[in-house]
Amino acid sequence: MTATAGGPSLPQERRVVTAIPGPKSQELQARRSAAVAGGVGSVLPVFTARAGGGVIEDVDGNSLIDFGSGIAVTSVGSSAEAVVRRASAQLADFTHTCFMVTPYQGYVEVCEELAKLTPGDHAKKSALFNSGAEAVENAVKIARAHTKRQAVVVFDHGYHGRTNLTMALTAKNMPYKHSFGPFAPEVYRVPVAYPYRWLTGPENCAQEAAAQAIDMISKQIGAENVAAIVIEPVLGEGGFIEPAKGFLPALVKFANDNGIVFVADEIQSGFCRTGQWFACEDEGIVPDLITTAKGIAGGLPLAAVTGRAEIMDAAHSGGLGGTYGGNPVACAAALGAIETMRELDLNAKAKRIEEVMKGRLTAMQDKYDVIGDIRGRGAMIAIELVQSGSKDPNPEATAALAKACHQEGLLVLTCGTYGNVLRFLPPLVIGEDLLAEGLDILENALAGL
């Protein structure tokens, strides 16, 4: 029986009643092809009717297990009660004034929450925006204003967005950069500590990668010219790479010693996703600036730059902002999402998801040598697929595995510079029965490769 509304009341079950995509989705896909630009892609062309908890229901009545969360956005579940309640109340009051014209309390409250939640007990301020790319771009602006320098250092396999500047910061060419240049100047890329693929072994990765990165910055750019070092504490689109322990602290020390603003891009890894409020907490990193988006507002568009008050205040009045930045409805949704994270202890739930997923995935790795590596933390877990007997990337198997999962009603996402990583980002509120059923589907798909 089809539910009349989404959110937490949606039946938490997998249900496949048509081929995927079904006939109604196929009809909508034909309309989409005629009206929507071809450059906008979709992982799976099923059209959503409702979503909530750990499932997505499509227009054909299929109910899919959700291992994607809209790319780590609906961490509290789609249409979570507190998000809907607060956003609905705000909708009834007013939808927009532009904070730069007449401000409102919700924006201030979100900034106050960010000051409490982000690492460090120093004085902090925030500015709110619409998307992760906007947040990163504004973090660079703020760092340049503060340091009076121009160079920005980023890393192999990093992803930071699709605007002109953030395309320059992003490592992967296809589909993010191809044919869209020229890109913003004064961006420099250095190695990241990628344990699985470090040539001298994971035990040497942190020290050697940090030494290489710091040497390149010092010799090729000049530390005195660097405004910011920007890195994801767990690299997202690049393959859910956890930098080897010790790498990030070495970069932070170098940045601090040289007056460089250290920016943690927590857009995908933030808000309980890794089992901590922010992934950089794992090694005690206290960034100068931290960028957030995705999971911040339960599905509404909101992003932020939060950081040391003296750095955040470096930009001149009027230099930061945007018409929709910190929209009042999105701010209300963010307060609802944060309320949900606290009340349900979603950090603990993320850690339990990691325990269940890594246990099952390790057993699968023992049976199927196509799984080269299992990595990630909390509910940000991935498997890297390789050719049998080697570490050569296997994007063909990755695509086939994702397709097989989709056909059985499990939504999974791929990523990685080599296109050979299957990533798992379930809503943090997913039930363990659905989690287990999704892993069963994955295992059956592996067996069929």
Side-chain angles (χ1 to χ4, degrees):
M1 189 169 103
T2 302
T4 56
S9 63
L10 195 65
Q12 297 296 291
E13 62 183 14
R14 180 178 69 100
R15 186 174 62 250
V16 179
V17 296
T18 72
I20 295 176
K24 291 182 180 178
S25 280
Q26 291 181 45
E27 289 175 14
L28 284 166
Q29 180 66 17
R31 289 169 57 186
R32 169 198 167 136
S33 296
V36 178
V40 181
S42 292
V43 170
L44 180 59
V46 299
F47 282 73
T48 303
R50 284 163 287 274
V55 298
I56 294 173
E57 186 179 286
D58 73 10
V59 291
D60 290 288
N62 299 299
S63 179
L64 283 65
I65 299 173
D66 183 10
F67 274 16
S69 300
I71 318 182
V73 169
T74 54
S75 298
V76 296
S78 192
S79 300
E81 185 277 331
V83 172
V84 172
R85 169 170 41 85
R86 288 182 180 248
S88 297
Q90 181 58 56
L91 273 168
D93 287 340
F94 61 93
T95 56
H96 177 73
T97 67
C98 184
F99 191 77
M100 299 180 301
V101 177
T102 58
Y104 36 87
Q105 182 174 327
Y107 189 116
V108 177
E109 288 180 337
V110 171
C111 294
E112 289 171 341
E113 287 286 7
L114 288 167
K116 293 175 191 172
L117 293 172
T118 52
D121 56 6
H122 51 277
K124 300 173 199 166
K125 294 188 177 183
S126 294
L128 304 184
F129 304 98
N130 301 294
S131 69
E134 266 192 89
V136 172
E137 189 140 339
N138 278 277
V140 171
K141 286 165 58 177
I142 293 164
R144 285 173 167 166
H146 173 70
T147 61
K148 313 302 182 190
R149 305 170 181 177
Q150 293 185 339
V152 180
V153 173
V154 289
F155 294 82
D156 290 340
H157 309 287
Y159 175 83
H160 300 288
R162 295 173 183 259
T163 60
N164 187 264
L165 175 58
T166 57
M167 281 192 294
L169 302 179
T170 292
K172 190 175 180 180
N173 174 54
M174 195 64 166
Y176 305 113
K177 302 166 72 168
H178 181 71
S179 79
F180 296 146
F183 303 113
E186 290 299 317
V187 173
Y188 301 87
R189 195 171 314 284
V190 298
V192 74
Y194 188 166
Y196 181 65
R197 296 197 171 275
W198 198 254
L199 290 177
T200 61
E203 67 279 3
N204 301 313
C205 184
Q207 183 178 0
E208 291 180 1
Q212 286 185 24
I214 289 168
D215 184 67
M216 289 176 69
I217 296 168
S218 301
K219 302 294 194 304
Q220 298 182 26
I221 311 165
E224 68 278 9
N225 296 316
V226 178
I229 292 174
V230 183
I231 189 168
E232 303 157 277
V234 177
L235 282 70
E237 171 61 27
F240 280 29
I241 300 163
E242 286 188 275
K245 301 296 184 195
F247 179 73
L248 292 175
L251 293 176
V252 171
K253 183 179 187 306
F254 176 76
N256 291 343
D257 289 347
N258 290 277
I260 299 168
V261 177
F262 185 87
V263 183
D265 179 345
E266 292 262 12
I267 287 157
Q268 189 163 168
S269 59
F271 293 100
C272 307
R273 177 54 56 181
T274 62
Q276 295 166 295
W277 280 100
F278 299 98
C280 59
E281 296 177 66
D282 188 63
E283 291 189 87
I285 301 298
V286 179
D288 297 311
L289 300 178
I290 184 167
T291 60
T292 53
K294 290 191 182 290
I296 192 174
L300 275 74
L302 188 69
V305 181
T306 302
R308 299 184 185 277
E310 67 275 16
I311 298 177
M312 291 297 299
D313 281 342
H316 54 275
S317 179
L320 304 178
T323 302
Y324 295 107
N327 170 269
V329 181
C331 286
L335 295 170
I338 291 168
E339 175 188 329
T340 305
M341 292 170 198
R342 286 195 177 109
E343 288 189 355
L344 299 182
D345 192 1
L346 292 191
N347 280 317
K349 290 189 180 293
K351 290 175 182 174
R352 175 58 183 160
I353 289 169
E354 176 185 352
E355 182 182 5
V356 171
M357 293 199 82
K358 281 193 171 177
R360 288 289 304 275
L361 293 171
T362 299
M364 294 180 208
Q365 186 180 33
D366 291 340
K367 292 172 64 176
Y368 304 106
D369 65 359
V370 71
I371 300 178
D373 193 29
I374 301 165
R375 55 179 179 257
R377 297 199 301 273
M380 190 175 181
I381 305 294
I383 54 176
E384 180 164 355
L385 303 187
V386 295
Q387 303 288 344
S388 180
S390 75
K391 289 187 178 182
D392 294 341
N394 196 337
E396 297 80 13
T398 309
L401 192 58
K403 182 178 180 181
C405 289
H406 294 163
Q407 293 304 306
E408 294 300 317
L410 173 65
L411 177 61
V412 294
L413 307 175
T414 61
C415 68
T417 301
Y418 312 111
N420 68 322
V421 176
L422 206 63
R423 56 175 158 173
F424 309 113
L425 292 161
L428 304 182
V429 296
I430 194 171
E432 288 199 22
D433 54 341
L434 283 178
L435 191 63
E437 186 176 2
L439 290 164
D440 289 343
I441 292 169
L442 175 66
E443 184 160 12
N444 288 336
L446 279 164
L449 283 179

